[in-house]
Every structure is written in C-alpha cells, then in structure tokens.
C-alpha cells in the first residue's frame, strides 16, 4: 500500500493534525478510554509468554534461588518491548508489566531498588520516543553506567540481569547495523562493565526476531535466554521463568546462524524492484542442515529446560494414509517441565534434490513431574513424503511425487540432535497428485539445488523453470456461470441461511451497483459502520444491501490482539508463540481472543500473519511464526480455529511472499514454483485445509511479476481450485493500479475480481476517494468475454456472502 494514502486517510478520519498514521502505535489519543481487562486473558497471556521463551545457555544459575536479589542493568528492563510496531502491534492494552515490575511482583525474588531508582531518574530525563509510522525506534538509548554504580550494585545484589531490546515493524525492516542486528557500543560497554563487576550475569533477549548472537559469546555469561516480546504480561512471565515457577520449554522456530552472511537469502534481500529467491527451498535449517552445519550457532528446534528428558520411539507403523509413531517422553530430571518433541524426515536426494531434514510432526507434552512419562502419537501423512516436480526432472511435471529411495525419520528435541528411529523404502517413483503449473516465474534465474555426490548432498546451481502456459486461455476456460438478474424478489440473506433460497438466487437479485459495492469496503479505515478504531468494513456497505439482510463485516488488526480505540489484550508476538511448539496452547489463547472480539465488536481479525521468516532482517518477522512452513501452518490452523470458535473470522495474511518491508508495494518476489508451493504457500495450504479461515488477505508485493491482489493463479487456481477454499479474499490496504496484461480492456477492480480477490480494502482508491473508481464495470458487456462478466462479479459476491453467512 501507498503509505501516504494510508496516513492521509487515517488522519482525515480522526481529524489528527499530523500526516502520520493516526492509528499508529503510541500516537493515537486514547487517553479518555477506560482500560478494561478481559477476564481470564491475563493468565492465558502470561502462560503463553513464558512458554515461548527459549533458554540457550544455563550453567546452573537458573532457576534463581528463593530470595535472590536481582540488579536490572539496562533500561529495557524498565522500558520493555512488549511487541513490535505497526498495525500488528498497535493494541491499546489495558496495562503492561515490565521486567522490573514482574520481579517486584515475584515473591521469590528481590529487586535492587537502588539501581531501579537510578534508572528511573535517568529515564525521566531521557524519555522514549516511539517515533512515527515507519520511523519507529529499532532500539532504545542505554544509560551510561558509572563504575561506582555497577560496583555498588554488585556488592548489594546476587545477580545482574542485562536485557538487550530490539524492535522493528511494519514498513521498517531491521538493519544490518549496530542499532539493530548487531550489539550497539552502548550495550557492549554495559556488558563489559557488568561482567567485570558481577560474578553472576544473565542476559535476556527482548527481541522480535533473530539478531546477531555471535558477539554475545565473547562475554562470560551464566545464562542466556530469549524472552522475545511477550505482550502485556511480559514481566510476570519472565519472572516465572527466572524463579523456576515455570521451566523453559520454548524451542527455536528459526535457526540462529553464526553470522548474517551465512543465511542463504542474505545476498538477495532488500532489493528495491525485485529479489530472486535463489536459495529456493533451502530456507533456514533446510539449508544449514544440508550444506552448512558449521554455520549454525543454535539449531532450529533448540532450547534448554531446567529438567531433562528421554524421548523414545516405542513403535512406528506404516498405515494406509501414512505413518504413526508412538513416542514415550520421560522427565528424567528434578523439576516439573514440558518437552517439545520433533520428528524430521530425510527424503532421498532423488532427481529433484531434497534437504537433509524437514519437520514433519511435533508435539508438546503436558507438564511432567520428575519421573513421569507421557505417551504421544505423531502422524505423518504420505503427502509429507512428496516433493513438487516443477520442471519434469522425475518425468512427472507439475505433480507432487514420491521419489524412489530411502526415507529416514529422526526424532528428538531439535533438528541437529534428532536421532534415526525408522526408515521406509519406496521402490519406485509414483505420482501422489497431478496438478497444473501455476504462478511460475516468467524468466529464469539461478537457484540452489542439492545433488548427491559420494553419498553426500552437495550444493549445485540450476535454472528456475519458467511458465509454459497461456494464462488468458486458462482464465477464459474457467469463467463461472452467470445468473440472470431478477431484481429484488424478496429473498433475504437469512432465507439463504435457513435453506429457503440458494445463494445463487440471492445474488441474482443484486444490481450492478450492489455487486460493485460488495467487492470493495466502506472506503475508509475506522468505518462509521463499526466499533471506533476498526480497520474498515465490507460486505453490507450499502443501505440496499443491509435491507436485504447483508451485514457489514467489521475488520480489526491483529495479530497481537485487537486494534481498536478501546482497550484490548496485548498478546505475545507471533515468533514467541511459534517457539511454544504448542498448538493447543495457541488455540486456547485464541478462543479467549474470540470472546474479546465478540465483546469489542470485531467480526474479522486481520490475523494470523504467516509469511515465512526468509531473512532475519524482515521488519514484520515478529508478527510471523517461523522459517519452517509446517510449523507455521500448524500454528496458523490453531490460531484460526481459536479465533473462529465464537463465530467470528480470522484472516491469514499476507498471501504470499511478503518477505520484506522495504518497497513492499513494488518489490517482486521471484521464486521457483517448487519453492513457492513447498515453502511460501505451504503454511497457507495447511491452514486453509485444516482450519477453513473465512477470509484471507493478499500481499502488497508482486509474486513472479504479478501483484498479490491480481494473482489469478494464487487466488483461483491454487487457493480455490486445489485447496478447496470457499471464503472471501481481500486485498491488503489499498492496492496498485494496473492493467491486466492478459486482457488489456480490464484494469484495477475488474483485473482484481477476475482473479477472485473479492474485496478491495478498505475500499477507496487514490483518485476516487469515497466513490467507486468505475474500473469494475468499465469493460462489462461491451467487451465480453474479455471484459469482466456478470458471472465473475456474482462469483466474488458469493464468496463474500458465504463468509458473511458463516460469520453472523
Ligand atoms: C498491513 C496489514 C494490515 C492492514 C490494515 C496494512 O498496512 O500490511 O497487515 O492488516 O494494513 O491495518
């Protein structure tokens, strides 16, 4: 989206004086709004925030002994990062618990108040400036420490905790600078003086995504834990972990590499016009475990506990639809704790080339007492053994194939240490599912692939396979039927719901004006049709539609809570939630969120954010889950099930490849069809098939030359044709104007509706504020069938109404 439009429109709506987004974090005046707490939510948020923390190092100092006096030496302990910036973090939370307040509230720990007071005085003179839209701070300035302060603090306390804080956000990526990805000189000075004076030092990472961890290895630390951005209960959750009320059970949802340049996307990130996804399917651990094990500091899935576990596979069986693994997990340590069990597959390298490890199942145990055992069953579907042949190398182009060879299964509590438990031999290559080529790149570029040489997988380069079919013929061959317009014959939407009439009969009543209105929102954010501060309304946006019983649907941002003018719970960030490896916990958290949506007036939560962590610098990584599509998809499905449990709708976003914020509305993500399907679409696929979201949002960027909001193959061929999606698809806020290359007589709204991107949100276009821009109907009738058809408009209207019928 064009940020200028968003900012201007938001400002106009609220009458704010500045031109920056009036709905941006910490800028909206909500001072007169009462702060209410949703009953039950604090406990849910606290438990989730603790469960996602990942303990990376512990020499035995943690958990801290009862009565430990703690000195918090860093301003972030007092000015905590609860979430990242932008639409995904801007929740008007009822309260926030900083790390200092969390420790104050913990009966087992004591806070060094002299140190806290020194920080209070300095912070008063050096307040935080949250900046403005796209200019958020990436870190906060630190207080310079005098030798006396640190020495006295060491004499008075048992342990020092240094907290390193980072944030990024929407429209602002992380930077490869000392302000962001690397430690800042102020932080290095802090670490140097604290480790010189204190015998015991713990470092906590209050961050939204992965940053450099190599520099930290130079300091003598007793413990290192990533606590991420935990939402409104952050401090309480961290205190629970420090004092041992909760044993850490978070596991890394991303690989931490030795250095930034080790990430396989590092040479092709941050482009203005395009990025070639040259690493192809070798994203994150798929790359490191196959080609570069020594470039990893902390592997995917890794995380320590205060206890220890044995994980044994007691049985593995091939079944009709896949494999079942019976796993026994025993707490062999001395305290209550949970374990995250992970099962990886090693497919044969085969003709297509495959990574050495892919996550195919995971499960979290309940809290196990010392000596207690839990039996779990992990299922792997045949589909998970397949690879997509996008080039015909197996002789089966455009099909998911099960290649001939050995399939190994590895079980453990991180990708590196998982041990071989089973293998299956596939005698010959078979086709699992024949599909059509879709969304392939128009031009070739170099991509990474694996080839087996001397029993090892080695890195090779090949050419990405290009699009071979004619999209115009595909579209024209798949035009939907139209229903002769009847005018209003008295059918109400409730009649469709009760089965008295069909959706087709209902839609046949709609005039062209109504069809146009149903395919765009109510023009503005903060629509007068819904709760104050909403992100926009769609569906019943005309009085004549409402007369027919069509409700307006009110959207609000997510994912870290509900973004409205009223106070709503602030949840932990997506990355933290992913590190829980706990779908049940996430689903339950989101059932509370569903209740809160109902109470506060949100029909559609614009969440979860499920783009893949392709590169650690993406500013919105905190909103998204992981570098792994399976983990992403499973968590997304849990999120959606929870949110939709009380009748409302989730809206997974941004479909697809929104991997960076820089130039997000113009940048082209160029990616092979195989990587698209196996990595970037996979999370959406799992989520759509398992949880049936009622809405879905496209991305701002282009995918292989076509903007997400015009992408016929992504939104029609794949999403609906292959995955059976029945809901409505909306644009991200505003869209880029363009003519269809296939049908030059259609542009903008017609081009979009033809792709089944059903709704333009929030509804206005740059030049035609608050009235239709005319592009939907401009080619209707006169230019059929190249122009937009009645059937296509009715089809989109039905998609939207189907979502509405399932929401209300
Ligand atoms: C963001 C979306 C968000 C929408 C509405 C856009 O700028 O990319 O994630 O849901 O605004 O606020």
């Amino acid at each position: 989206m064009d940020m200028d439009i968003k900012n201007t429109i938001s400002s106009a709506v609220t009458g704010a004086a500045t031109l920056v987004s009036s709905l941006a974090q910490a800028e909206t005046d909500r001072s007169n709004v009462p702060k209410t707490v949703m009953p039950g939510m604090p406990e849910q948020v606290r438990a989730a925030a603790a469960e996602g923390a990942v303990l990376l190092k512990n020499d035995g100092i943690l958990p801290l002994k009862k009565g430990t006096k703690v000195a918090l030496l860093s301003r972030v302990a007092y000015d905590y990062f609860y979430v990242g910036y932008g639409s995904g973090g801007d929740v008007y939370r009822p309260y926030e618990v900083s790390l200092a307040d969390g420790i104050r509230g913990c009966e087992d720990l004591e806070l060094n108040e002299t140190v806290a007071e020194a920080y209070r005085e300095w912070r008063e003179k050096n307040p935080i400036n949250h900046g403005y839209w796209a200019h958020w701070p990436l870190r906060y300035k630190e207080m310079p420490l005098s030798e006396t302060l640190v020495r006295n603090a060491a004499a008075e306390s048992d342990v020092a905790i240094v907290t390193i804080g980072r944030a990024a956000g929407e429209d602002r990526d992380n930077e490869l600078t000392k302000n962001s990805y690397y430690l800042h000189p102020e932080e290095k000075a802090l670490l140097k003086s604290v480790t010189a004076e204190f015998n015991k030092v713990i470092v906590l990472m209050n961050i939204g995504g992965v940053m450099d961890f190599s520099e930290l290895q130079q300091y003598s630390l007793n413990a290192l834990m990533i606590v991420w951005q935990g939402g409104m209960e952050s401090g309480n959750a961290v205190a629970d972990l420090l004092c041992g009320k909760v044993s850490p059970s978070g596991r890394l949802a991303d690989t931490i590499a030795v250095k930034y340049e080790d990430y396989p996307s590092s040479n092709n990130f941050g482009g203005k016009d395009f990025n070639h996804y040259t690493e192809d399917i070798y994203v994150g651990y798929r790359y490191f475990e196959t080609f570069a094990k020594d470039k990893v500091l902390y592997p995917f899935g890794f995380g320590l506990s205060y206890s220890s576990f044995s994980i044994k596979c007691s049985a593995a069986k091939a079944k009709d639809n896949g494999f079942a693994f019976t796993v026994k997990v025993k707490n062999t340590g001395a305290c209550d704790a949970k374990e995250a069990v992970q099962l990886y597959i090693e497919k044969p390298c085969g003709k297509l080339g495959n990574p050495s490890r892919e996550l195919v199942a995971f499960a979290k145990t309940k809290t196990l007492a010392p000596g207690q055992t839990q039996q779990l069953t992990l299922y792997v579907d045949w589909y998970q053994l397949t690879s997509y042949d996008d080039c015909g190398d197996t002789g089966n182009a455009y099909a998911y194939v099960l290649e001939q060879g050995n399939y190994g299964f590895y079980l453990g509590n991180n990708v590196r240490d998982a041990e071989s438990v089973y293998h299956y031999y596939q005698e010959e290559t078979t086709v699992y599912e024949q599909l059509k080529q879709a969304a392939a790149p128009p031009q070739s570029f170099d991509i990474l692939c694996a080839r087996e040489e001397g029993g090892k997988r080695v890195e090779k380069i090949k050419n990405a396979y290009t699009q071979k079919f004619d999209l115009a013929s595909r579209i024209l061959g798949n035009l939907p039927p139209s229903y002769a317009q009847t005018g209003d014959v008295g059918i109400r939407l409730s009649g469709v719901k009760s089965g008295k009439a069909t959706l087709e009969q209902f839609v046949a009543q709609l005039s062209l004006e109504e069809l146009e209105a149903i395919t765009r929102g109510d023009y503005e954010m903060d629509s007068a049709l819904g709760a104050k501060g909403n992100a926009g309304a769609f569906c019943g946006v005309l009085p004549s539609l409402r007369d027919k019983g069509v409700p307006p649907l009110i959207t609000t941002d997510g994912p870290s809570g509900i973004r409205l003018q009223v106070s709503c719970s602030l949840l932990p960030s997506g990355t933290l939630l992913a590190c829980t490896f706990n779908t049940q916990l996430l689903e339950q958290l989101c059932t509370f969120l569903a209740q809160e949506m109902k109470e506060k007036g949100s029909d559609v939560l614009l969440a979860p954010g499920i783009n893949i962590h392709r590169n650690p610098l993406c500013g919105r990584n905190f909103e998204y889950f992981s570098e792994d599509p399976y983990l992403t998809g499973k968590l997304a499905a849990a999120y959606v099930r929870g949110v939709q449990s009380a009748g409302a709708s989730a809206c997974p976003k941004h479909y697809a490849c929104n991997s960076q914020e820089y130039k997000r509305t113009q940048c082209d993500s160029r990616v092979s069809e195989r990587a698209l399907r196996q990595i970037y679409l996979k999370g959406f696929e799992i989520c759509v098939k398992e949880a049936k979201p009622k809405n879905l949002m496209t991305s701002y960027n282009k995918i292989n030359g076509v903007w997400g909001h015009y992408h016929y193959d992504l939104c029609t061929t794949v999403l609906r044709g292959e995955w059976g999606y029945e809901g409505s698809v909306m644009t991200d806020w505003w869209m880029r104007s363009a003519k269809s290359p296939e049908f030059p007589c259609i542009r903008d709204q017609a081009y979009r509706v033809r792709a089944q991107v059903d709704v333009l949100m929030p509804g206005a276009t740059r030049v035609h504020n608050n009235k239709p821009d005319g592009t939907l109907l401009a080619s209707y009738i006169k230019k059929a069938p190249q122009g937009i058809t009645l059937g296509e408009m009715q089809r989109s209207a039905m998609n939207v109404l189907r979502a509405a019928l399932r929401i209300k």
Side-chain angles (χ1 to χ4, degrees), residues 1 6 87 133 170 525 535 557 563 606 620 653-654 664 697 700 732-733:
M1 179 206 47
K6 180 169 188 172
S87 64
W133 188 272
E170 189 173 346
M525 294 185 80
D557 270 305
R563 183 192 192 202
L606 306 172
R620 294 183 84 173
K653 63 188 184 185
H654 310 89
R664 59 181 177 159
M697 188 193 294
Y700 283 132
D732 198 346
W733 268 223

Side-chain angles (χ1 to χ4, degrees), residues 70 78 86 188 198 219 404 410 602 632 649 701 714:
V70 177
Y78 309 89
K188 290 190 187 176
F198 276 78
Y219 301 93
Q404 183 261 334
Y410 298 81
S602 167
T632 296
S649 169
N701 52 283
L714 289 191

Side-chain angles (χ1 to χ4, degrees), residues 749-765:
Q749 313 313 327
Y751 182 17
R752 170 180 65 76
V753 167
R754 174 152 283 177
Q756 287 194 80
V757 177
D758 308 299
V759 185
L760 165 67
M761 287 301 287
T765 53

